[in-house]
Amino acid sequence: MRIDCAHLHRDCAHCCGLCCTAFQFLGRAGCFDAKPAGVPCVHLDENNRCAVYAQREGLNLSWCLSFDCFGAGPAALRRMGGQSWRDAPDGGAVLFQVFSQLLPLHQLEWYLVQALEAAQTPRFRAHLTELRQVNLQLQQLSIPELLTLDVESHRTQVSTALHQLTTFHCPHKVPAHGNCVGRRFLGIDLREHDCSLALF
């Protein structure tokens, strides 16, 4: 079963640099110098484009290379009527909050779509379909409702269902309580292991 999830891919051309502005940067490896949340990255130009986008790999910006908003940036901008944080009277405060709430919902939808395509039993498919419908409804909440939504509670429900699915398909567990930081995996076949909750 293939599900259209084109709306879950990043689309920087229809965003306003939210990932480069809304988040706090701690100045750690893989990211630019530290900055507070709500302040644009120094490399974000006036057209909301990254001035060093093509040089990210050479600059070892692993966070910037790997980050994907799953379409939450453009969705947040649409919810605010297309008004960029640059033009908002509040400096984009509400837009940043909407983006922060939509981001995990879009991430969860992407995982649910992948799980639905992999689910082998009607029971799992029915449960995942129900969770996805709830997830889609949450994305359409009014802005006041969205801003007060307990996203973590919903994430816990989805994570539990996804863990049950991976446990069903991958009965072998990663040892050491899922803490794999510093472990070497050269020559180890992990294809039959459940790594969904592991820390690498």
Side-chain angles (χ1 to χ4, degrees):
M1 177 179 63
R2 300 297 299 175
I3 301 173
D4 181 15
C5 56
H7 63 292
L8 296 177
H9 294 287
R10 57 186 168 193
D11 183 6
C12 301
H14 294 92
C15 190
C16 56
L18 286 176
C19 63
C20 305
T21 309
F23 298 129
Q24 176 186 17
F25 290 175
L26 299 178
R28 294 174 180 168
C31 200
F32 284 120
D33 294 338
K35 77 170 191 65
V39 174
C41 170
V42 294
H43 295 287
L44 189 70
D45 65 24
E46 64 277 6
N47 296 314
N48 297 320
R49 297 292 179 269
C50 175
V52 295
Y53 189 85
Q55 290 81 47
R56 291 171 300 157
E57 186 170 2
L59 293 171
N60 195 31
L61 299 175
S62 56
W63 186 89
C64 299
L65 280 166
S66 62
F67 179 78
D68 192 328
C69 75
F70 296 91
L77 189 60
R78 288 194 299 271
R79 293 299 300 274
M80 297 299 294
Q83 185 179 54
S84 168
W85 54 270
R86 295 182 185 274
D87 304 317
D90 63 355
V94 174
L95 173 60
F96 298 148
Q97 292 179 59
V98 170
F99 174 57
S100 297
Q101 290 288 83
L102 284 178
L103 177 59
L105 296 178
H106 277 240
Q107 290 173 329
L108 290 172
E109 186 182 348
W110 189 88
Y111 283 120
L112 285 167
V113 168
Q114 307 308 309
L116 272 167
E117 293 181 349
Q120 300 295 318
T121 67
R123 178 173 66 87
F124 274 130
R125 282 198 295 272
H127 186 39
L128 292 169
T129 298
E130 181 180 349
L131 285 172
R132 183 173 181 241
Q133 289 303 316
V134 171
N135 195 64
L136 289 169
Q137 291 169 6
L138 294 178
Q139 294 175 43
Q140 299 304 317
L141 290 175
S142 67
I143 290 179
E145 291 173 324
L146 182 63
L147 295 183
T148 57
L149 174 66
D150 183 359
V151 176
E152 286 306 312
S153 177
H154 175 62
R155 190 205 300 268
T156 299
Q157 287 183 298
V158 175
S159 296
T160 300
L162 294 176
H163 184 65
Q164 290 172 345
L165 178 66
T166 54
T167 301
F168 179 80
H169 286 290
C170 306
H172 305 292
K173 303 295 181 186
V174 171
H177 305 290
N179 187 351
C180 300
V181 175
R183 292 192 58 191
R184 293 177 59 84
F185 292 96
L186 185 64
I188 298 178
D189 187 348
L190 293 175
R191 285 176 293 183
E192 297 300 324
H193 287 261
D194 172 18
C195 302
S196 58
L197 302 178
L199 179 63
F200 288 91

